[in-house]
Amino acid sequence: MEKTVTVRWPFKQDDNGGFDSISEAEFVDAIKFSIKNVLLTNPGEKISDPLFGIGLRKYLFSLSTEDFSSLKGDIRRQIIKYIAYLTKINVSLDLTQIDYNRFAVRVSFEVGPKQIKDFLDVVVSV
């Protein structure tokens, strides 16, 4: 049985006069989409908020000289700011393939009272 999480937006009535709901799987997909947007959007690319985004692709062209020590914290701060309903966030980097111009970011997350847990892997490469 598929779990429902909340009412689907925009509101649409179902056959019983209630509202269509969004499943847990659809909710998790929406969270992953939001995280991916934060990770891949370049700062300044979103006109309404020039501070939005990490711009992971910019790190590809300076992998051998880049200081990744602050990247995890930057990602965490962006997610806390723009996806504030997540209750737990863990960010990890896989830098083992830097010499091949690729790296990976994993964001593990947990959401509110239903304790929905999942993760998103984003691999950035040339």
Side-chain angles (χ1 to χ4, degrees):
M1 181 174 134
E2 194 165 340
K3 297 181 196 175
T4 59
V5 178
T6 187
V7 175
R8 179 182 304 282
W9 179 260
F11 297 130
K12 181 177 160 190
Q13 283 196 303
D14 63 18
D15 296 335
N16 300 323
F19 292 103
D20 277 349
S21 58
I22 186 170
S23 70
E24 185 175 306
E26 292 171 311
F27 185 58
V28 169
D29 287 344
I31 293 169
K32 289 179 179 183
F33 180 80
S34 296
I35 292 171
K36 195 171 183 179
N37 277 333
V38 168
L39 295 176
L40 298 178
T41 301
N42 295 316
E45 189 174 347
K46 186 175 180 181
I47 295 171
S48 62
D49 188 350
L51 301 178
F52 177 85
I54 296 294
L56 285 181
R57 288 185 185 100
K58 71 182 175 190
Y59 292 91
L60 281 176
F61 301 104
S62 57
L63 288 176
S64 60
T65 60
E66 190 66 47
D67 177 15
F68 285 91
S69 61
S70 64
L71 181 59
K72 283 172 51 171
D74 292 345
I75 291 170
R76 190 170 165 68
R77 280 187 291 282
Q78 285 272 319
I79 290 173
I80 288 169
K81 180 176 181 178
Y82 293 105
I83 314 172
Y85 53 86
L86 298 181
T87 53
K88 291 185 182 175
I89 303 160
N90 184 41
V91 178
S92 59
L93 302 175
D94 179 0
L95 304 174
T96 58
Q97 296 189 358
I98 285 179
D99 293 337
Y100 301 104
N101 292 322
R102 66 185 277 152
F103 67 98
V105 175
R106 173 173 278 195
V107 178
S108 303
F109 58 88
E110 192 171 308
V111 182
K114 292 195 174 218
Q115 301 300 309
I116 299 169
K117 297 177 184 180
D118 212 324
F119 65 91
L120 173 69
D121 288 329
V122 175
V123 177
V124 185
S125 63
V126 177

